[in-house]
Amino acid sequence: MNIIGFNGSPRKSGNTAWAIGKILEGAIAGGADARLFQAGETEIKPCRGCLACVGGDGCVMKDGMQEIYSALKTADALILGAPIYMGQMCGQAKVFTDRLFAQIKPRFSPTFKEENAGKSLILVWTQGNPDSEKFKAYLDYTKMMFEMLEFKVREAVVVAGTRTAQASEQDGLEKKLMEVGTGLAAAP
Ligand SMILES: Cc1cc2nc3c(=O)[nH]c(=O)nc-3n(C[C@H](O)[C@H](O)[C@H](O)COP(=O)(O)O)c2cc1C
């Protein structure tokens, strides 16, 4: 199992990075290969809507996303994590998501190119608000959107309450995240 993680938070050592890191740790313990990309250290420009990717050979924007496209090609699973900003995924994670357009079949069918279809996806959301259901409508919609792109969404983890307790301080969370990782590594 080859897994890539993408931390959409600009904070390389924040709550989201920690949560994704624990899932990756669990996956590695379960025998997977894993690699983490960080929005905070990768230049990913917003899609400019040129549509050169439609019928072309991928995205013409030569930035940090190119390395991620290559990694995604051979990955079995993606772990996408983002903090909630103003009730939605943070802008960096949205820019990353928009840039996945270049991996989609022409005319937004909406079908991922064959080499990407059926990849596993684990979503990791962190939020200051202690109510883990607060953004449920948005997170359910976002899960459905990734399923429409033919990702097999295996889990959507919500880490709530980081305003008062950092993710790393929350009881039982480390174990839960590690188990998500080992479960992913063992998945068919
Ligand atoms: C600009 C900004 C907007 C935020 N908006 C929300 C929000 O709408 N709801 C919420 O619960 N937390 C909000 N937060 C808190 C973050 O989601 C929370 O601190 C998160 O765990 C940060 O993740 P990180 O440590 O990986 O950067 C916001 C934080 C920032 C910086």
Side-chain angles (χ1 to χ4, degrees):
M1 167 83 57
N2 180 6
I3 303 171
I4 65 168
F6 182 79
N7 174 24
S9 173
R11 294 179 353 118
K12 292 188 282 179
S13 307
N15 295 288
T16 317
W18 181 85
I20 298 171
K22 289 297 160 195
I23 296 175
L24 293 179
E25 228 178 285
I28 291 166
D33 289 324
R35 183 170 175 200
L36 177 65
F37 292 92
Q38 297 252 27
E41 61 186 17
T42 314
E43 189 202 22
I44 303 177
K45 296 190 192 113
C47 172
R48 61 187 190 204
C50 68
L51 297 184
C53 59
V54 176
D57 194 19
C59 182
V60 294
M61 293 170 71
K62 304 302 175 210
D63 60 9
M65 201 61 197
Q66 293 300 334
E67 204 182 344
I68 299 177
Y69 288 138
S70 310
L72 196 57
K73 271 202 172 101
T74 53
D76 304 297
L78 169 67
I79 298 172
L80 171 61
I84 296 295
Y85 279 8
M86 310 309 275
Q88 302 178 45
M89 71 172 82
C90 66
Q92 291 87 341
K94 181 62 166 73
V95 165
F96 169 83
T97 304
D98 287 352
R99 292 288 300 277
L100 293 177
F101 183 85
Q103 301 283 97
I104 293 170
K105 274 187 183 165
R107 308 318 305 168
F108 207 9
S109 34
T111 309
F112 250 98
K113 286 177 178 162
E114 250 155 52
E115 67 265 27
N116 290 306
K119 287 184 194 298
S120 291
L121 177 68
I122 290 179
L123 296 165
V124 182
W125 308 112
T126 73
Q127 60 181 65
N129 194 301
D131 178 1
S132 60
E133 301 270 296
K134 193 75 188 169
F135 306 108
K136 188 174 185 314
Y138 170 75
L139 299 183
D140 284 351
Y141 169 79
T142 305
K143 176 174 180 278
M144 182 279 293
M145 185 275 298
F146 279 108
E147 284 168 348
M148 193 180 77
L149 298 179
E150 298 197 346
F151 279 104
K152 200 186 298 169
V153 182
R154 292 190 176 273
E155 196 106 28
V157 180
V158 179
V159 177
T162 62
R163 194 188 299 151
T164 47
Q166 296 296 294
S168 59
E169 297 163 351
Q170 297 189 15
D171 276 353
L173 184 59
E174 177 169 353
K175 184 168 179 283
K176 179 183 158 189
L177 294 168
M178 296 272 291
E179 282 170 4
V180 169
T182 41
L184 177 61

